[in-house]
Amino acid sequence: MSARELLEKIAVLLYAIVYKYCYLVGLFTQELLEGVVRFVSRHVRRAELRLIDFARALPPALSHLLHRLRRSLQRQRLRAGRTFGSVRVAAEQMRSGRGREGLRTFGRAGLELLRQLFPLLRTIVNLALPIAAILLLWQNVQLVGRQQYALRVAYAGETVGLIKNEAVYDRAVSQVEAKLQGSQQGTPIDFSANFELIPVGESDPLLDEYALSDKIIAASDNDITEAFGLYVDGSLIGAVAQKNTLPTLLAGLQDRYRTDDPTETVSFVRSVKVVEGLYPEGRVVDGETIGSLIDREVQGEVVYTVEAGDSPSLIAERFGIPLRQLLRNNPGIEESLLIGDEVVVDRAQPYMSVKISRVETYEEEIPYSTETSEDSSLLKGQRKVTREGENGLARVRASVTYVDDVETERNVLSRTPLREAVSEQVSVGTKLFAQTPGVYSSGTVSSNFVWPVVSARAYVSNGYYGYYGHGAIDIAAPYGSPIIASAPGTVVMATYSASGYGRHVMINHGDGVQTLYAHMSALAVGVGETVEQGQVIGYVGSTGNSTGNHCHFEIRVGGSKVNPMGYLP
């Protein structure tokens, strides 16, 4: 077989393949388009019928408008029918082997279809273009928003670098002035510079105030050297030549408070930064010098001597400090505050205060509650403990913060009960006091008096014969516990004495009987008032000649002191 014959057979084979492909495409296209035409024609016809029925019920003007719409639909349907008819003819031509004629007929049908669809395409384009413009504008806004800008700095006629904003340059100027302070300067530095806003990429480096200050100071005629500067709260303290000097000094200050607790974090209260750069030779010092600058106190200890009438809250108010700070500086001040005691109002503060935070686990008592019940066999104002209370116990896990070993904050993370608290039960008397003439002097009816201190923690700390000339009993109780009238009567004295009784009250009960209550922290009655048994007349304190919070209680009969224990229940 020659090459010519081979090419002819290949050509015949290709023609047969193309013919069959075109035949099948034409057949499929014809069936598809005929189905579409039938569907559209059926629904258009239904719409026409509905329009005709609807138009008959409308005014002539609207009826004419709908008639024109119907005619337009008919024309569109006829044009579509001709177009789809051309498609059918083209398909038939391709099936019969007239592929070239079929393609031309199919092309003319396609152009006609495009002309018919042009109004619809034009409407779609008119709607799509504004939407596309809005999307393009949004993309541009996003692009501009993501674009980063920086200032290009030109100093002394040369470009020195890029900075974020002019505030960086202002801080750099302040850094240069701080570096030159106290050193011998050459020609004064001209800090004027030119700035140009330019777009930058993420990889373009920006200078901070420290790097920019190095470039400015390098352009001066001062004697400078490479060193390591220590900045505290943004202020330059000094510079050293050796790299390890400052980290060693700073770590030594923190090690004074550091423990082996793995949960512990140690830091300085002030902002501390070590910056390598260029510094005037006059600001570079040795390690001992800069060590003395940071290891110093900036405020001395303030001590106050307690005077008559003072209390923790009054002292804190006088010096304008929180009561919590006063109690933290003076543990136990709430339990005992005597005249002449020295109270630490403020402690010495290191220049480089160290902050330590750690998680601590410890056991803590849970205070018991008190349950009261009335008892008609006890006089009003009298209290009797029928069951002792017992504190509970809990394991506490807390985050604790210290500054220079002084606790400043405590946040409880968890509390696990170990032992439940047992409530205290107290009986409170309701029986009214009945005063009978002559009953006091006999000393035989003890129920006519009640205990003068209302507190479950009260106890006799010093008896009638405790020391020479005492002539009373001392009832110790927590600071501020109520003191009540042991019997009804009239207040004949309510005053303060810097020595002796301090704040004290005397009540006349008639029949030559008087009671005296001394060393009160505050008075609740005045001279001339009539008081009932159990009425609050003052509060436990330690004023006057006293060595702790208590109530000095006397009973006088006919002007002579008697042992109160013989008259109290």
Side-chain angles (χ1 to χ4, degrees):
M1 182 183 296
S2 63
R4 182 182 179 84
E5 293 175 345
L6 179 62
L7 291 176
E8 289 178 352
K9 289 186 176 183
I10 292 175
V12 172
L13 179 62
L14 291 176
Y15 175 79
I17 293 174
V18 172
Y19 173 79
K20 290 182 178 180
Y21 174 75
C22 292
Y23 176 81
L24 293 175
V25 169
L27 182 61
F28 175 75
T29 304
Q30 179 182 357
E31 293 178 354
L32 176 63
L33 293 178
E34 287 178 351
V36 172
V37 169
R38 287 193 299 271
F39 177 81
V40 172
S41 299
R42 183 167 59 255
H43 284 78
V44 168
R45 181 59 182 167
R46 290 178 181 176
E48 289 179 359
L49 296 175
R50 290 175 182 173
L51 285 174
I52 293 172
D53 295 337
F54 184 67
R56 291 171 180 171
L58 292 176
L62 292 179
S63 178
H64 178 68
L65 179 62
L66 291 177
H67 178 70
R68 291 179 58 186
L69 178 60
R70 178 172 174 271
R71 294 292 300 274
S72 176
L73 290 174
Q74 288 177 345
R75 287 195 297 270
Q76 292 294 336
R77 187 176 61 181
L78 291 174
R79 294 177 64 183
R82 287 195 297 269
T83 301
F84 291 128
S86 299
V87 172
R88 287 195 296 269
V89 171
E92 183 63 31
Q93 289 174 343
M94 295 180 71
R95 282 199 303 270
S96 62
R98 294 176 294 170
R100 184 175 298 178
E101 295 180 11
L103 289 175
R104 284 198 298 267
T105 304
F106 191 76
R108 287 193 297 270
L111 292 175
E112 179 63 25
L113 182 62
L114 288 177
R115 282 195 294 270
Q116 295 180 24
L117 294 178
F118 179 74
L120 177 61
L121 295 175
R122 182 176 57 191
T123 302
I124 293 174
V125 171
N126 290 337
L127 294 175
L129 286 178
I131 296 175
I134 293 174
L135 293 176
L136 182 60
L137 176 62
W138 175 253
Q139 287 184 344
N140 290 334
V141 171
Q142 292 293 318
L143 181 61
V144 173
R146 290 193 298 267
Q147 177 64 56
Q148 295 183 355
Y149 292 86
L151 293 178
R152 182 160 54 197
V153 183
Y155 178 78
E158 296 183 0
T159 300
V160 296
L162 301 173
I163 60 176
K164 184 177 181 181
N165 49 47
E166 291 190 33
V168 177
Y169 185 79
D170 294 337
R171 293 196 295 268
V173 170
S174 300
Q175 292 294 340
V176 174
E177 293 175 342
K179 290 180 179 180
L180 297 177
Q181 185 178 4
S183 63
Q184 295 181 354
Q185 301 185 24
T187 305
I189 297 179
D190 181 12
F191 291 110
S192 59
N194 296 321
F195 305 98
E196 180 183 1
L197 183 66
I198 62 172
V200 296
E202 295 182 356
S203 59
D204 292 330
L206 299 180
L207 301 176
D208 60 9
E209 59 265 33
Y210 301 103
L212 184 57
S213 67
D214 286 345
K215 292 183 176 294
I216 296 175
I217 203 170
S220 67
D221 59 354
N222 289 270
D223 295 330
I224 58 177
T225 183
E226 291 188 1
F228 299 86
L230 175 63
Y231 292 84
V232 177
D233 287 340
S235 301
L236 177 64
I237 303 302
V240 296
Q242 300 298 323
K243 180 178 181 179
N244 296 328
T245 301
L246 291 175
T248 302
L249 289 173
L250 295 174
L253 295 178
Q254 293 182 344
D255 288 343
R256 297 177 183 176
Y257 307 95
R258 197 187 304 272
T259 65
D260 296 331
D261 193 323
T263 65
E264 183 177 70
T265 59
V266 182
S267 61
F268 290 107
V269 174
R270 296 172 178 262
S271 172
V272 179
K273 192 171 187 179
V274 177
V275 180
E276 180 181 4
L278 300 177
Y279 297 87
E281 293 182 352
R283 296 304 304 271
V284 180
V285 297
D286 56 22
E288 183 178 354
T289 301
I290 201 168
S292 63
L293 292 175
I294 62 177
D295 191 11
R296 57 190 173 93
E297 294 180 351
V298 294
Q299 181 179 340
E301 187 172 82
V302 179
V303 178
Y304 169 72
T305 302
V306 178
E307 299 177 354
D310 280 335
S311 66
S313 58
L314 291 176
I315 296 174
E317 182 179 355
R318 177 179 300 175
F319 286 92
I321 63 174
L323 178 60
R324 181 181 59 184
Q325 177 180 335
L326 184 69
L327 300 179
R328 185 175 63 237
N329 293 339
N330 304 270
I333 190 176
E334 290 182 294
E335 300 296 331
S336 177
L337 183 65
L338 304 178
I339 297 175
D341 286 351
E342 289 187 345
V343 176
V344 178
V345 176
D346 202 359
R347 296 189 179 277
Q349 299 294 326
Y351 177 69
M352 298 290 288
S353 291
V354 178
K355 178 181 178 180
I356 309 98
S357 297
R358 66 174 70 97
V359 176
E360 298 181 355
T361 302
Y362 53 92
E363 292 184 354
E364 180 181 75
E365 286 191 341
I366 304 174
Y368 61 82
S369 60
T370 300
E371 300 175 358
T372 59
S373 59
E374 294 183 347
D375 189 341
S376 59
S377 65
L378 300 176
L379 290 174
K380 184 176 181 180
Q382 189 175 357
R383 297 166 61 90
K384 181 179 180 181
V385 177
T386 58
R387 185 179 72 182
E388 296 289 342
E390 183 180 354
N391 289 334
L393 191 66
R395 180 179 292 110
V396 180
R397 187 170 178 267
S399 174
V400 188
T401 301
Y402 301 89
V403 174
D404 301 328
D405 270 349
V406 177
E407 182 179 332
T408 59
E409 186 178 0
R410 180 179 294 265
N411 295 317
V412 176
L413 304 177
S414 63
R415 180 178 278 106
T416 304
L418 301 178
R419 185 180 67 241
E420 295 294 331
V422 177
S423 62
E424 180 185 60
Q425 294 182 351
V426 179
S427 297
V428 179
T430 59
K431 183 179 179 181
L432 296 178
F433 179 84
Q435 184 174 356
T436 304
V439 77
Y440 296 106
S441 58
S442 66
T444 57
V445 184
S446 61
S447 61
N448 285 330
F449 289 89
V450 297
W451 281 92
V453 177
V454 181
S455 173
R457 296 168 59 186
Y459 65 94
V460 177
S461 60
N462 194 15
Y464 181 74
Y465 302 103
Y467 54 87
Y468 178 76
H470 188 214
I473 60 173
D474 290 339
I475 305 174
Y479 181 91
S481 298
I483 298 175
I484 62 175
S486 185
T490 303
V491 178
V492 295
M493 186 180 297
T495 185
Y496 169 77
S497 174
S499 60
Y501 289 135
R503 289 188 178 89
H504 60 283
V505 171
M506 180 179 287
I507 301 175
N508 182 24
H509 305 284
D511 202 20
V513 179
Q514 295 176 324
T515 53
L516 184 141
Y517 315 78
H519 307 308
M520 295 181 178
S521 61
L523 305 177
V525 293
V527 174
E529 289 188 34
T530 300
V531 295
E532 299 293 333
Q533 185 180 49
Q535 180 178 334
V536 176
I537 60 174
Y539 302 92
V540 172
S542 185
T543 58
N545 186 13
S546 171
T547 57
N549 296 318
H550 70 281
C551 172
H552 173 98
F553 178 61
E554 295 181 8
I555 296 181
R556 301 180 182 182
V557 179
S560 300
K561 299 178 182 180
V562 297
N563 188 351
M565 299 303 294
Y567 293 80
L568 293 173

